[in-house]
Amino acid sequence: MKFMKIGTKPDTFYTEEATRTVISDIPSDLTIRINNVCFLLHKIPLVPKCGLLQRLCSDADDSDIVTIDLHDVPGGEDAFELCAKFCYGITINLGAHNFVPAFCAAKFLRMTESIEKGNFVLKLEAFFNSCILEGWKDSIVALQTTIKLPEWSENLGIIRRCIDSIVEKILTPTSKVSWSYTYTRPGYIKKQHQSVPKDWWTEDVSDLDIDLFRCIITAVRSTYIPPPQLIGEALHVYACRWLPDTTKSRPLHSSGSQTEESREKSRRILESIVSMIPSDRGSVSIGFLLKLLSIANYLGASPVTKTELIRKAGLQFEEATLNDMLFPSQLPTDQHFYDIDLVAAVLESYLVLWRRQSPLPTENSHMVRSIRKIGKLIDSYLQVVARDVNMPISKLVSLAEALPDVAREDHDGLYKAINIYLKEHPDVSKADKKRMCRMLDCQKLSPEVRAHAVKNERLPLRTVVQVLFFDQESGSRSTTHKPESITKARQAPIEAEAKEECDKKVQHEGTKSSSRVTETSEREIQKRMEAKMVRGDSEKGKERKGETNSTAKVMEPKQVFQRRSSR
């Protein structure tokens, strides 16, 4: 950054409480009051350089002590002191950080060439044109300081000229960028990279206030058509700079965690960022969209902002990874950690688009591949959130059931999620267990998973029976090569009859000993299933003269039943 030094005399200003005085043998004859500060100065040398003071002191004699109120001077007492020191010839250092208030105050005091040659305004304008506007970071710092004096800066053209200078440098080909810039991306070392990255400017621009940042982005997009990903990267850098991080831990919802004023400022920033996201798909990543949605939940953003984020995220949900979805819940009423409602909302948005584009998908179509990729992603997510000891079973089931049947080629991932949930929640009721396991399609379980399920004592007995049926059916097909329809026709009456007799027994026993009846019914299912399976397979075995092998295969599930009953 560049600085300008004006004046040669040492600083003789000193401050005592709310009074600022110049050390001098000459008594003060000019009192300037600005807000709560009182300056005890001299008409000479101030009045000859300030057209405003000349007019205000025109009616006073040279010997009179004049008191003037300048409460509306832009920049306040500090900006006025810079102008006063210039008049006294005291050394002052000017830079991008204090140029704007000094320039506005000098204009207010009319320190122009028409009043005296070589006056303050002329020197400030020369410094502005030759140093601040020519520098990259100087222009950004000067533009940022205009937020304290927006009207003066706008009227004097400071904002417009700073924005033009910044945009001109952003549009400069990267091969011609020779000025210093900030770029602290992980893994990037300037000395090791000869070429300038295309997004070299995003980090420095993120220091600006959101309204000024919007002006820069708007000017860049209106001047030429930049790649949407470049604008998206600028928005991502700005969001990381100013918005709270909700990815690492669950924010505290206490009054001291974030004041309402700061929350309102963050909401305004969030809504501005969302409105600036290019409409092009892929301009920002799905991870960034989900992060913004999590922040929106935390800040209590408007429904319009949340809906827009959900819509955009639904368009790109196929690109998501598991880590992109692991956000803590932002509702203080939620006991569970993970924000499963966020994922469910985005999934629903994706499914609306999917159904609209592919009413009757074919097996090898892109839409089928897309939904199956989502299916694997959701099952992986379910396996993570199932470990949350406070996760309600209703939310887990609701998310799992939201996917259409075509989304899962197999149910191995779903089985793993259910098993994890039952392991982490040992107190789950039988009704809830059955509710979860009702989602499983045993025909879509791999042989390895079926083998695990048969021995899994956490599963309801009815689920184990179904697994055994399909395992038995699979074994029969592998040895006899009979059509699948025959096996299903044989299996269905057995299961239906066992269930019907079990239900009759439950109704007969009554409600007073419901738990005992349930256990009895399960034993009935077991016994009758074993008997019918043994009888059916024996008869079939005799017909094909392979009774020994058939009986051995049927007795295998019987041994499993006996082991579970003994326990």
mmCIF file of all heavy atoms in Angstrom, residues 182-214:
data_model
loop_
_atom_site.group_PDB
_atom_site.id
_atom_site.type_symbol
_atom_site.label_atom_id
_atom_site.label_comp_id
_atom_site.label_asym_id
_atom_site.label_seq_id
_atom_site.Cartn_x
_atom_site.Cartn_y
_atom_site.Cartn_z
ATOM 1 N N THR A 182 -3.947 -11.206 -2.266
ATOM 2 C CA THR A 182 -4.022 -12.215 -1.204
ATOM 3 C C THR A 182 -4.634 -13.484 -1.763
ATOM 4 O O THR A 182 -5.700 -13.441 -2.382
ATOM 5 C CB THR A 182 -4.887 -11.702 -0.039
ATOM 6 O OG1 THR A 182 -4.357 -10.456 0.409
ATOM 7 C CG2 THR A 182 -4.888 -12.698 1.102
ATOM 8 N N TYR A 183 -3.959 -14.618 -1.541
ATOM 9 C CA TYR A 183 -4.496 -15.897 -2.005
ATOM 10 C C TYR A 183 -3.970 -16.971 -1.062
ATOM 11 O O TYR A 183 -2.836 -17.409 -1.167
ATOM 12 C CB TYR A 183 -4.044 -16.177 -3.445
ATOM 13 C CG TYR A 183 -4.858 -17.237 -4.149
ATOM 14 C CD1 TYR A 183 -6.027 -16.900 -4.826
ATOM 15 C CD2 TYR A 183 -4.469 -18.569 -4.141
ATOM 16 C CE1 TYR A 183 -6.776 -17.862 -5.475
ATOM 17 C CE2 TYR A 183 -5.218 -19.537 -4.780
ATOM 18 C CZ TYR A 183 -6.369 -19.181 -5.455
ATOM 19 O OH TYR A 183 -7.118 -20.133 -6.090
ATOM 20 N N THR A 184 -4.820 -17.385 -0.140
ATOM 21 C CA THR A 184 -4.377 -18.296 0.924
ATOM 22 C C THR A 184 -5.085 -19.639 0.848
ATOM 23 O O THR A 184 -5.357 -20.256 1.865
ATOM 24 C CB THR A 184 -4.641 -17.662 2.301
ATOM 25 O OG1 THR A 184 -6.049 -17.393 2.430
ATOM 26 C CG2 THR A 184 -3.870 -16.384 2.472
ATOM 27 N N ARG A 185 -5.396 -20.113 -0.362
ATOM 28 C CA ARG A 185 -6.043 -21.420 -0.487
ATOM 29 C C ARG A 185 -5.103 -22.507 0.027
ATOM 30 O O ARG A 185 -3.884 -22.424 -0.157
ATOM 31 C CB ARG A 185 -6.397 -21.722 -1.937
ATOM 32 C CG ARG A 185 -7.259 -20.682 -2.621
ATOM 33 C CD ARG A 185 -8.647 -20.558 -2.013
ATOM 34 N NE ARG A 185 -9.513 -19.815 -2.901
ATOM 35 C CZ ARG A 185 -9.523 -18.501 -3.027
ATOM 36 N NH1 ARG A 185 -8.707 -17.779 -2.294
ATOM 37 N NH2 ARG A 185 -10.349 -17.897 -3.864
ATOM 38 N N PRO A 186 -5.626 -23.526 0.669
ATOM 39 C CA PRO A 186 -4.768 -24.617 1.156
ATOM 40 C C PRO A 186 -4.012 -25.282 0.010
ATOM 41 O O PRO A 186 -4.570 -25.575 -1.044
ATOM 42 C CB PRO A 186 -5.776 -25.596 1.778
ATOM 43 C CG PRO A 186 -6.957 -24.755 2.128
ATOM 44 C CD PRO A 186 -7.033 -23.700 1.058
ATOM 45 N N GLY A 187 -2.732 -25.479 0.223
ATOM 46 C CA GLY A 187 -1.917 -26.152 -0.771
ATOM 47 C C GLY A 187 -1.388 -25.265 -1.870
ATOM 48 O O GLY A 187 -0.716 -25.742 -2.783
ATOM 49 N N TYR A 188 -1.688 -23.947 -1.811
ATOM 50 C CA TYR A 188 -1.221 -23.049 -2.865
ATOM 51 C C TYR A 188 -0.071 -22.196 -2.344
ATOM 52 O O TYR A 188 -0.186 -21.498 -1.341
ATOM 53 C CB TYR A 188 -2.347 -22.137 -3.346
ATOM 54 C CG TYR A 188 -1.928 -21.191 -4.451
ATOM 55 C CD1 TYR A 188 -1.967 -21.605 -5.776
ATOM 56 C CD2 TYR A 188 -1.484 -19.906 -4.175
ATOM 57 C CE1 TYR A 188 -1.589 -20.759 -6.805
ATOM 58 C CE2 TYR A 188 -1.100 -19.049 -5.196
ATOM 59 C CZ TYR A 188 -1.151 -19.472 -6.503
ATOM 60 O OH TYR A 188 -0.775 -18.636 -7.512
ATOM 61 N N ILE A 189 1.062 -22.268 -3.036
ATOM 62 C CA ILE A 189 2.216 -21.443 -2.697
ATOM 63 C C ILE A 189 2.595 -20.664 -3.950
ATOM 64 O O ILE A 189 2.876 -21.245 -5.001
ATOM 65 C CB ILE A 189 3.400 -22.300 -2.209
ATOM 66 C CG1 ILE A 189 2.976 -23.133 -0.989
ATOM 67 C CG2 ILE A 189 4.600 -21.425 -1.866
ATOM 68 C CD1 ILE A 189 4.063 -24.072 -0.509
ATOM 69 N N LYS A 190 2.597 -19.338 -3.833
ATOM 70 C CA LYS A 190 2.810 -18.504 -5.019
ATOM 71 C C LYS A 190 4.129 -18.800 -5.719
ATOM 72 O O LYS A 190 4.228 -18.791 -6.938
ATOM 73 C CB LYS A 190 2.747 -17.024 -4.625
ATOM 74 C CG LYS A 190 1.370 -16.559 -4.216
ATOM 75 C CD LYS A 190 1.358 -15.082 -3.899
ATOM 76 C CE LYS A 190 -0.031 -14.622 -3.471
ATOM 77 N NZ LYS A 190 -0.058 -13.185 -3.148
ATOM 78 N N LYS A 191 5.192 -19.065 -4.953
ATOM 79 C CA LYS A 191 6.511 -19.273 -5.542
ATOM 80 C C LYS A 191 6.533 -20.534 -6.412
ATOM 81 O O LYS A 191 7.328 -20.641 -7.333
ATOM 82 C CB LYS A 191 7.563 -19.368 -4.441
ATOM 83 C CG LYS A 191 7.782 -18.059 -3.679
ATOM 84 C CD LYS A 191 8.871 -18.212 -2.624
ATOM 85 C CE LYS A 191 9.087 -16.907 -1.880
ATOM 86 N NZ LYS A 191 10.140 -17.040 -0.836
ATOM 87 N N GLN A 192 5.664 -21.476 -6.103
ATOM 88 C CA GLN A 192 5.637 -22.730 -6.857
ATOM 89 C C GLN A 192 4.705 -22.652 -8.061
ATOM 90 O O GLN A 192 4.649 -23.577 -8.856
ATOM 91 C CB GLN A 192 5.201 -23.888 -5.945
ATOM 92 C CG GLN A 192 6.181 -24.166 -4.814
ATOM 93 C CD GLN A 192 5.730 -25.309 -3.934
ATOM 94 O OE1 GLN A 192 4.671 -25.885 -4.150
ATOM 95 N NE2 GLN A 192 6.528 -25.652 -2.937
ATOM 96 N N HIS A 193 3.956 -21.577 -8.172
ATOM 97 C CA HIS A 193 3.022 -21.428 -9.279
ATOM 98 C C HIS A 193 3.379 -20.172 -10.064
ATOM 99 O O HIS A 193 3.246 -19.059 -9.563
ATOM 100 C CB HIS A 193 1.575 -21.337 -8.760
ATOM 101 C CG HIS A 193 1.097 -22.592 -8.115
ATOM 102 N ND1 HIS A 193 1.510 -22.974 -6.861
ATOM 103 C CD2 HIS A 193 0.235 -23.563 -8.559
ATOM 104 C CE1 HIS A 193 0.921 -24.117 -6.543
ATOM 105 N NE2 HIS A 193 0.156 -24.499 -7.542
ATOM 106 N N GLN A 194 3.831 -20.352 -11.270
ATOM 107 C CA GLN A 194 4.206 -19.220 -12.091
ATOM 108 C C GLN A 194 2.976 -18.482 -12.620
ATOM 109 O O GLN A 194 2.979 -17.270 -12.751
ATOM 110 C CB GLN A 194 5.086 -19.698 -13.254
ATOM 111 C CG GLN A 194 6.365 -20.391 -12.804
ATOM 112 C CD GLN A 194 7.282 -19.461 -12.025
ATOM 113 O OE1 GLN A 194 7.326 -18.263 -12.289
ATOM 114 N NE2 GLN A 194 8.003 -20.025 -11.078
ATOM 115 N N SER A 195 1.912 -19.214 -12.925
ATOM 116 C CA SER A 195 0.711 -18.598 -13.475
ATOM 117 C C SER A 195 -0.199 -18.101 -12.353
ATOM 118 O O SER A 195 -0.247 -18.674 -11.271
ATOM 119 C CB SER A 195 -0.042 -19.594 -14.349
ATOM 120 O OG SER A 195 -0.423 -20.727 -13.594
ATOM 121 N N VAL A 196 -0.913 -17.042 -12.643
ATOM 122 C CA VAL A 196 -1.846 -16.454 -11.675
ATOM 123 C C VAL A 196 -3.182 -17.178 -11.777
ATOM 124 O O VAL A 196 -3.715 -17.349 -12.880
ATOM 125 C CB VAL A 196 -2.031 -14.951 -11.958
ATOM 126 C CG1 VAL A 196 -3.064 -14.346 -11.014
ATOM 127 C CG2 VAL A 196 -0.700 -14.225 -11.835
ATOM 128 N N PRO A 197 -3.763 -17.650 -10.676
ATOM 129 C CA PRO A 197 -5.068 -18.331 -10.743
ATOM 130 C C PRO A 197 -6.163 -17.371 -11.191
ATOM 131 O O PRO A 197 -6.110 -16.162 -10.920
ATOM 132 C CB PRO A 197 -5.294 -18.811 -9.303
ATOM 133 C CG PRO A 197 -4.436 -17.934 -8.465
ATOM 134 C CD PRO A 197 -3.243 -17.573 -9.284
ATOM 135 N N LYS A 198 -7.178 -17.905 -11.853
ATOM 136 C CA LYS A 198 -8.242 -17.050 -12.371
ATOM 137 C C LYS A 198 -9.032 -16.365 -11.261
ATOM 138 O O LYS A 198 -9.592 -15.288 -11.470
ATOM 139 C CB LYS A 198 -9.184 -17.882 -13.254
ATOM 140 C CG LYS A 198 -8.537 -18.377 -14.536
ATOM 141 C CD LYS A 198 -9.544 -19.143 -15.389
ATOM 142 C CE LYS A 198 -8.904 -19.615 -16.691
ATOM 143 N NZ LYS A 198 -9.870 -20.366 -17.540
ATOM 144 N N ASP A 199 -9.119 -16.998 -10.103
ATOM 145 C CA ASP A 199 -9.878 -16.410 -8.995
ATOM 146 C C ASP A 199 -8.961 -15.688 -8.003
ATOM 147 O O ASP A 199 -9.270 -15.617 -6.816
ATOM 148 C CB ASP A 199 -10.678 -17.500 -8.280
ATOM 149 C CG ASP A 199 -9.777 -18.585 -7.710
ATOM 150 O OD1 ASP A 199 -8.627 -18.714 -8.166
ATOM 151 O OD2 ASP A 199 -10.218 -19.317 -6.804
ATOM 152 N N TRP A 200 -7.877 -15.117 -8.490
ATOM 153 C CA TRP A 200 -6.903 -14.446 -7.628
ATOM 154 C C TRP A 200 -7.513 -13.289 -6.843
ATOM 155 O O TRP A 200 -7.047 -12.930 -5.762
ATOM 156 C CB TRP A 200 -5.740 -13.921 -8.481
ATOM 157 C CG TRP A 200 -6.156 -12.893 -9.495
ATOM 158 C CD1 TRP A 200 -6.525 -13.104 -10.783
ATOM 159 C CD2 TRP A 200 -6.266 -11.479 -9.289
ATOM 160 N NE1 TRP A 200 -6.874 -11.930 -11.406
ATOM 161 C CE2 TRP A 200 -6.718 -10.911 -10.508
ATOM 162 C CE3 TRP A 200 -6.051 -10.629 -8.214
ATOM 163 C CZ2 TRP A 200 -6.938 -9.549 -10.672
ATOM 164 C CZ3 TRP A 200 -6.265 -9.265 -8.370
ATOM 165 C CH2 TRP A 200 -6.702 -8.740 -9.588
ATOM 166 N N TRP A 201 -8.570 -12.699 -7.334
ATOM 167 C CA TRP A 201 -9.123 -11.470 -6.776
ATOM 168 C C TRP A 201 -10.196 -11.705 -5.711
ATOM 169 O O TRP A 201 -10.589 -10.779 -4.991
ATOM 170 C CB TRP A 201 -9.750 -10.639 -7.900
ATOM 171 C CG TRP A 201 -10.703 -11.418 -8.762
ATOM 172 C CD1 TRP A 201 -10.393 -12.167 -9.852
ATOM 173 C CD2 TRP A 201 -12.120 -11.540 -8.601
ATOM 174 N NE1 TRP A 201 -11.520 -12.751 -10.392
ATOM 175 C CE2 TRP A 201 -12.595 -12.377 -9.649
ATOM 176 C CE3 TRP A 201 -13.034 -11.030 -7.678
ATOM 177 C CZ2 TRP A 201 -13.939 -12.707 -9.774
ATOM 178 C CZ3 TRP A 201 -14.375 -11.356 -7.816
ATOM 179 C CH2 TRP A 201 -14.809 -12.181 -8.855
ATOM 180 N N THR A 202 -10.683 -12.924 -5.600
ATOM 181 C CA THR A 202 -11.872 -13.177 -4.780
ATOM 182 C C THR A 202 -11.631 -12.929 -3.292
ATOM 183 O O THR A 202 -12.518 -12.441 -2.592
ATOM 184 C CB THR A 202 -12.348 -14.623 -4.989
ATOM 185 O OG1 THR A 202 -11.271 -15.522 -4.699
ATOM 186 C CG2 THR A 202 -12.788 -14.850 -6.421
ATOM 187 N N GLU A 203 -10.452 -13.274 -2.796
ATOM 188 C CA GLU A 203 -10.213 -13.152 -1.364
ATOM 189 C C GLU A 203 -10.123 -11.696 -0.917
ATOM 190 O O GLU A 203 -10.640 -11.322 0.138
ATOM 191 C CB GLU A 203 -8.938 -13.899 -0.992
ATOM 192 C CG GLU A 203 -8.805 -14.175 0.491
ATOM 193 C CD GLU A 203 -7.816 -15.269 0.780
ATOM 194 O OE1 GLU A 203 -7.582 -16.122 -0.095
ATOM 195 O OE2 GLU A 203 -7.267 -15.273 1.898
ATOM 196 N N ASP A 204 -9.483 -10.847 -1.708
ATOM 197 C CA ASP A 204 -9.371 -9.431 -1.349
ATOM 198 C C ASP A 204 -10.723 -8.726 -1.437
ATOM 199 O O ASP A 204 -11.057 -7.889 -0.588
ATOM 200 C CB ASP A 204 -8.362 -8.735 -2.263
ATOM 201 C CG ASP A 204 -6.932 -9.162 -1.982
ATOM 202 O OD1 ASP A 204 -6.608 -9.364 -0.791
ATOM 203 O OD2 ASP A 204 -6.148 -9.321 -2.931
ATOM 204 N N VAL A 205 -11.510 -9.077 -2.441
ATOM 205 C CA VAL A 205 -12.827 -8.448 -2.597
ATOM 206 C C VAL A 205 -13.769 -8.859 -1.473
ATOM 207 O O VAL A 205 -14.702 -8.125 -1.134
ATOM 208 C CB VAL A 205 -13.407 -8.814 -3.983
ATOM 209 C CG1 VAL A 205 -14.849 -8.358 -4.109
ATOM 210 C CG2 VAL A 205 -12.572 -8.177 -5.077
ATOM 211 N N SER A 206 -13.525 -10.017 -0.862
ATOM 212 C CA SER A 206 -14.410 -10.479 0.214
ATOM 213 C C SER A 206 -14.308 -9.628 1.471
ATOM 214 O O SER A 206 -15.126 -9.783 2.378
ATOM 215 C CB SER A 206 -14.089 -11.937 0.564
ATOM 216 O OG SER A 206 -12.816 -12.049 1.171
ATOM 217 N N ASP A 207 -13.338 -8.731 1.552
ATOM 218 C CA ASP A 207 -13.242 -7.824 2.703
ATOM 219 C C ASP A 207 -14.282 -6.714 2.657
ATOM 220 O O ASP A 207 -14.500 -6.023 3.657
ATOM 221 C CB ASP A 207 -11.844 -7.198 2.767
ATOM 222 C CG ASP A 207 -10.775 -8.202 3.170
ATOM 223 O OD1 ASP A 207 -11.124 -9.187 3.843
ATOM 224 O OD2 ASP A 207 -9.606 -8.002 2.801
ATOM 225 N N LEU A 208 -14.929 -6.539 1.531
ATOM 226 C CA LEU A 208 -15.881 -5.447 1.363
ATOM 227 C C LEU A 208 -17.209 -5.742 2.052
ATOM 228 O O LEU A 208 -17.576 -6.892 2.282
ATOM 229 C CB LEU A 208 -16.130 -5.194 -0.125
ATOM 230 C CG LEU A 208 -14.945 -4.676 -0.938
ATOM 231 C CD1 LEU A 208 -15.280 -4.711 -2.428
ATOM 232 C CD2 LEU A 208 -14.560 -3.262 -0.509
ATOM 233 N N ASP A 209 -17.922 -4.668 2.366
ATOM 234 C CA ASP A 209 -19.294 -4.788 2.855
ATOM 235 C C ASP A 209 -20.144 -5.443 1.782
ATOM 236 O O ASP A 209 -19.843 -5.341 0.581
ATOM 237 C CB ASP A 209 -19.828 -3.397 3.206
ATOM 238 C CG ASP A 209 -21.254 -3.432 3.682
ATOM 239 O OD1 ASP A 209 -21.479 -3.787 4.850
ATOM 240 O OD2 ASP A 209 -22.151 -3.114 2.872
ATOM 241 N N ILE A 210 -21.216 -6.132 2.176
ATOM 242 C CA ILE A 210 -22.014 -6.920 1.243
ATOM 243 C C ILE A 210 -22.585 -6.068 0.117
ATOM 244 O O ILE A 210 -22.647 -6.504 -1.042
ATOM 245 C CB ILE A 210 -23.148 -7.674 1.982
ATOM 246 C CG1 ILE A 210 -23.919 -8.584 1.009
ATOM 247 C CG2 ILE A 210 -24.065 -6.708 2.705
ATOM 248 C CD1 ILE A 210 -23.080 -9.644 0.354
ATOM 249 N N ASP A 211 -22.986 -4.833 0.402
ATOM 250 C CA ASP A 211 -23.542 -3.986 -0.656
ATOM 251 C C ASP A 211 -22.475 -3.594 -1.672
ATOM 252 O O ASP A 211 -22.733 -3.566 -2.885
ATOM 253 C CB ASP A 211 -24.177 -2.733 -0.045
ATOM 254 C CG ASP A 211 -25.408 -3.053 0.782
ATOM 255 O OD1 ASP A 211 -26.108 -4.019 0.440
ATOM 256 O OD2 ASP A 211 -25.666 -2.349 1.780
ATOM 257 N N LEU A 212 -21.275 -3.288 -1.195
ATOM 258 C CA LEU A 212 -20.182 -2.967 -2.109
ATOM 259 C C LEU A 212 -19.728 -4.201 -2.871
ATOM 260 O O LEU A 212 -19.392 -4.131 -4.057
ATOM 261 C CB LEU A 212 -19.013 -2.363 -1.326
ATOM 262 C CG LEU A 212 -19.297 -1.028 -0.630
ATOM 263 C CD1 LEU A 212 -18.123 -0.611 0.244
ATOM 264 C CD2 LEU A 212 -19.597 0.056 -1.668
ATOM 265 N N PHE A 213 -19.718 -5.345 -2.193
ATOM 266 C CA PHE A 213 -19.372 -6.595 -2.856
ATOM 267 C C PHE A 213 -20.357 -6.888 -3.979
ATOM 268 O O PHE A 213 -19.973 -7.321 -5.076
ATOM 269 C CB PHE A 213 -19.364 -7.729 -1.835
ATOM 270 C CG PHE A 213 -19.123 -9.089 -2.417
ATOM 271 C CD1 PHE A 213 -17.847 -9.488 -2.789
ATOM 272 C CD2 PHE A 213 -20.177 -9.983 -2.602
ATOM 273 C CE1 PHE A 213 -17.632 -10.757 -3.327
ATOM 274 C CE2 PHE A 213 -19.966 -11.239 -3.133
ATOM 275 C CZ PHE A 213 -18.683 -11.625 -3.501
ATOM 276 N N ARG A 214 -21.631 -6.654 -3.716
ATOM 277 C CA ARG A 214 -22.642 -6.873 -4.751
ATOM 278 C C ARG A 214 -22.398 -5.948 -5.941
ATOM 279 O O ARG A 214 -22.547 -6.361 -7.102
ATOM 280 C CB ARG A 214 -24.036 -6.622 -4.171
ATOM 281 C CG ARG A 214 -25.144 -6.758 -5.211
ATOM 282 C CD ARG A 214 -26.448 -6.218 -4.671
ATOM 283 N NE ARG A 214 -27.059 -7.118 -3.729
ATOM 284 C CZ ARG A 214 -27.851 -8.139 -4.071
ATOM 285 N NH1 ARG A 214 -28.120 -8.360 -5.339
ATOM 286 N NH2 ARG A 214 -28.377 -8.902 -3.165
#
